[in-house]
Amino acid sequence: MNVRSHVIVDAAISPYRRGEIPLAMPFIDSLPDNSVTLLDKGFYGADLLLSLQNSGINRHWLIPARKGLKYTLLDEEESNDMLIEMKVSLQARKKNPSLPEKWQVRAVTYEVQGKQKTVFTSLPRTNYDAKAVAELYHERWEIELGYRDIKSSMQHKAQVLRSKTVDLVYQELWGLLLGYNLVRREASQAAVEHGRMPNEISFKYACQFIASQLKVMSKAISPGNTPKRLKSLRGDLSILFIDKRPKPNRPRAVQMSKTRYPVNRKAAPLK
């Protein structure tokens, strides 16, 4: 997902037995040059990250550091912005013999709400200072907001999909992603025309507005007038811009499953 526009760049769906990293490897070929890929800690792996930075032109990555990793400091002393070297695991090299025995990463440490956070990146120090790297990684939260829009605005917080067979589950998921991208594309085009950021448009209301307009266009407007109507639609979206709000401090929690039995939240613990 593009964190600035929330448009989905690529997607893959598979059975749950397939891990996230093998599922992500084919994405490398579709990444644009001169880009930075922001990943969560579940995608940490020398094979994926080295393959990413060695492909294309000027492709870089940014990911949270794993705790407890052993490394060799390549700078004269430790700091909040240092170059380190780590060993590539034997398991990774067995799967991909072209991997080196060791690899170098840049470790940037910063403070958030009194806590120290460290991220690894391939971005060079000469072009990006430690503050810029820290601020850039915080944009990864925009991806979570995009997922929220699909689950909340499009799915109305439904716990499960409607489909009952494997083929229909795939069809429903691809349909959701396609519909989401149609809304995001029009919202992005409207933002460009109004000189605003694409993620400043309320997705919930844009989805409702665009869906209703597309239904009208498909029935009452000739194909030749579609470009003119789309331009008018993007102008109408100007009323849906919102001011960006700071990310709320809401710790993640497991959602309680529905039950027909009453739940006593003050019950004494089992002994």
Side-chain angles (χ1 to χ4, degrees):
M1 183 180 293
N2 184 304
V3 296
R4 302 284 170 83
S5 67
H6 290 192
V7 171
I8 294 176
V9 179
D10 206 345
I13 305 169
S14 79
Y16 74 94
R17 291 184 180 88
R18 190 177 182 190
E20 287 183 319
I21 292 182
L23 202 62
M25 289 295 288
F27 285 178
I28 293 176
D29 295 332
S30 61
L31 290 173
D33 292 334
N34 304 306
S35 63
V36 182
T37 301
L38 312 180
L39 306 107
D40 67 28
K41 57 185 178 181
F43 291 94
Y44 181 87
D47 192 5
L48 175 65
L49 300 177
L50 287 176
S51 297
L52 192 159
Q53 74 183 56
N54 293 330
S55 66
I57 301 173
N58 197 31
R59 295 180 184 176
H60 293 283
W61 51 266
L62 186 54
I63 194 171
R66 291 186 65 178
K67 295 181 179 179
L69 286 176
K70 295 182 180 181
Y71 61 84
T72 300
L73 180 64
L74 299 180
D75 294 334
E76 294 183 357
E77 59 182 15
E78 293 195 357
S79 66
N80 68 334
D81 187 359
M82 56 188 184
L83 192 64
I84 63 175
E85 185 177 68
M86 299 178 294
K87 292 183 178 180
V88 178
S89 68
L90 292 176
Q91 182 181 7
R93 293 176 59 206
K94 185 176 181 180
K95 292 181 179 179
N96 184 358
S98 65
L99 290 175
E101 293 184 6
K102 299 179 180 179
W103 63 312
Q104 298 179 6
V105 301
R106 179 185 175 192
V108 174
T109 301
Y110 56 97
E111 186 174 301
V112 177
Q113 297 180 350
K115 296 182 179 180
Q116 295 287 329
K117 303 285 186 180
T118 301
V119 292
F120 289 162
T121 185
S122 63
L123 289 168
R125 292 171 172 171
T126 52
N127 298 335
Y128 305 90
D129 59 23
K131 182 180 179 182
V133 171
E135 291 177 348
L136 180 60
Y137 186 73
H138 279 204
E139 290 194 47
R140 200 199 68 80
W141 184 253
E142 297 292 332
I143 301 174
E144 303 296 337
L145 297 181
Y147 294 154
R148 180 203 62 183
D149 290 335
I150 296 174
K151 296 175 182 178
S152 179
S153 299
M154 297 182 68
Q155 287 292 89
H156 306 292
K157 300 182 180 180
Q159 294 288 326
V160 296
L161 299 173
R162 297 174 297 170
S163 303
K164 303 298 183 181
T165 66
V166 173
D167 290 340
L168 290 180
V169 166
Y170 277 86
Q171 177 179 287
E172 185 174 349
L173 287 172
W174 286 120
L176 279 171
L177 297 179
L178 178 60
Y180 171 83
N181 256 12
L182 284 172
V183 175
R184 277 297 177 196
R185 182 185 183 281
E186 289 306 314
S188 298
Q189 295 289 337
V192 170
E193 291 189 10
H194 293 281
R196 300 286 295 270
M197 290 294 293
N199 58 9
E200 292 178 344
I201 289 184
S202 169
F203 179 85
K204 177 180 178 180
Y205 297 114
C207 184
Q208 295 172 354
F209 180 76
I210 292 175
S212 62
Q213 292 298 309
L214 290 179
K215 289 179 181 178
V216 173
M217 291 168 59
S218 65
K219 296 179 180 180
I221 299 178
S222 63
N225 290 326
T226 298
K228 184 187 297 185
R229 187 66 191 94
L230 283 174
K231 185 175 182 179
S232 174
L233 181 149
R234 293 162 189 164
D236 295 338
L237 286 175
S238 62
I239 62 174
L240 302 180
F241 284 104
I242 57 175
D243 295 328
K244 292 288 290 182
R245 297 181 294 272
K247 185 181 73 173
N249 184 18
R250 297 171 184 166
R252 292 187 175 183
V254 177
Q255 187 173 5
M256 182 176 292
S257 60
K258 295 182 180 180
T259 173
R260 60 191 179 92
Y261 300 103
V263 178
N264 184 0
R265 298 181 182 275
K266 297 182 181 180
L270 297 176
K271 296 183 179 179

